[in-house]
Amino acid sequence: MFRKLLALAAITLSAPASAAVFTLCAEAWQPFIYQNAQGQPVGLAVDALGRAARAEGHRIRYLFLAPASCLRLMKEQRIDIMAFATAEGSPPGWLQTQQPLVYWVLNAWVRADNPLHHYPGLGHFSAHKVAFVDVYDYPPAITAKRDWQRVAANDSTTAVRQLAAGRVDVIFEDAVALQDVDPSLHGKIRRLQPVVASVAQPFSFRPGLELLRDAVDGEAQRLKGSGELDRFYQRHFGSTLAQVSASVAASP
C-alpha cells in the first residue's frame, strides 16, 4: 500500500499544476487547419499548436466556424485562441504570433489557352478584366492597382467559373482554395509562377497566454530552421518559403 501511495504521489507531482484545455476557433482551411474524414483536426497548424501546447502541459480543443462566429466568441471571451486574426481584428490585449507559420499565398491564374507561362508582373494585366472575390481582403499589391476592370465574384468558385468561361482574364487565388471547385474546370485554367503576393496569417491568444503564444512561435522557428516549412510550401503551393515570405512585401 505504501508503494502505491508513493506511486500516486509521484504521478500527481509530475503532472503540470496549470494543465488546461484551451479552445481555438478557426474557419477550416486546408492544408493548415481542417478536419479529416474522421472529424479529427489535422494540418500544419494543428500539428504545430499541438506540440507547443503539449510542451506546456496543455491541450487544444478546436471549433470550426465561420470567421464572423469566431470573432463573436472572441469578443465574448468564450474562446482562448483565434486562428488567422490580426491585432487590428482582435480585442485589446490579445497577443498575436510573431513568427509566420501560415501564409495566404496568391498566384495569378489565367485560362489554359493563354500564351503566358510565367507571371510577368501586375503591370501586364492593366486594362484586363479581373475577378475580385467580395469577401477577400486582398493585399495592398493588388488593391492598390486601379487600371484594370474589376468584376465582382461572390466566392472563389464563381471567380474560377468566370475565368474558365472567358468573362475575366485573370484571377488571384491560392491553389488550395481551388480544390473544392468543380474538377471539370481545372483543365481550363492554369496557375502562373512565381507568387504574386502573400499575407501572413497570425494566431491571436487571449491575455495571459504569453507562454503558449511564445511556444507556438518557437515551433514555427523550429519548422523553418529544419527546412520542414520550406518543404511544406513547395509541396502544397509550388513555391519555396523564401519566395512566399518575400512576396509579403510585393508591390505592383
Side-chain angles (χ1 to χ4, degrees):
M1 176 62 74
F2 182 66
R3 288 182 179 178
K4 289 183 179 179
L5 289 174
L6 285 177
L8 288 172
I11 293 172
T12 302
L13 289 172
S14 63
S18 58
V21 178
F22 297 119
T23 301
L24 182 151
C25 193
E27 180 181 30
W29 185 13
Q30 295 190 42
F32 302 111
I33 180 168
Y34 61 103
Q35 290 175 291
N36 62 17
Q38 291 72 44
Q40 299 169 325
V42 292
L44 172 74
V46 172
D47 293 342
L49 278 119
R51 285 190 294 267
R54 286 192 296 273
E56 296 295 316
H58 307 306
R59 291 192 300 111
I60 295 178
R61 180 174 73 97
Y62 291 87
L63 292 178
F64 289 96
L65 299 171
S69 297
C70 287
L71 183 59
R72 176 177 55 80
L73 294 177
M74 187 186 204
K75 291 178 178 178
E76 294 173 355
Q77 300 183 13
R78 294 168 59 189
I79 60 173
D80 303 292
I81 311 165
M82 181 166 169
F84 323 131
T86 62
E88 294 77 15
S90 302
W94 281 61
L95 312 159
Q96 290 71 48
T97 48
Q98 301 300 307
Q99 298 298 324
L101 178 68
V102 175
Y103 290 92
W104 182 31
V105 182
L106 292 174
N107 286 85
W109 294 73
V110 296
R111 282 178 54 87
D113 57 4
N114 192 303
L116 283 177
H117 288 279
H118 298 281
Y119 168 62
L122 289 178
H124 176 85
F125 299 108
S126 296
H128 285 55
K129 292 182 179 179
V130 183
F132 265 67
V133 179
D134 296 335
V135 297
Y136 281 1
D137 184 13
Y138 288 101
I142 294 175
T143 57
K145 189 171 175 59
R146 300 294 181 182
D147 60 347
W148 52 24
Q149 182 180 343
R150 296 189 182 190
V151 178
N154 294 330
D155 50 33
S156 58
T157 300
T158 302
V160 170
R161 288 174 177 165
Q162 290 173 335
L163 179 61
R167 293 194 291 272
V168 298
D169 303 304
V170 62
I171 64 174
F172 299 104
E173 187 59 85
D174 73 86
V176 179
L178 300 186
Q179 291 179 347
D180 296 329
V181 174
D182 183 352
S184 67
L185 299 177
H186 289 184
K188 297 180 180 180
I189 63 175
R190 181 160 40 80
R191 177 176 58 176
L192 301 180
Q193 294 284 18
V195 175
V196 174
S198 61
V199 183
Q201 303 291 308
F203 288 78
S204 193
F205 294 74
R206 67 165 171 77
L209 295 184
E210 290 89 345
L211 291 179
L212 182 56
R213 188 275 310 270
D214 292 346
V216 173
D217 275 341
E219 183 62 23
Q221 279 288 80
R222 186 192 69 78
L223 290 171
K224 181 179 179 181
S226 69
E228 292 178 64
L229 205 55
D230 181 65
R231 291 190 291 273
F232 173 87
Y233 278 95
Q234 289 192 58
R235 181 168 66 254
H236 291 283
F237 297 95
S239 299
T240 66
L241 179 62
Q243 290 172 326
V244 170
S245 57
S247 67
V248 171
S251 58

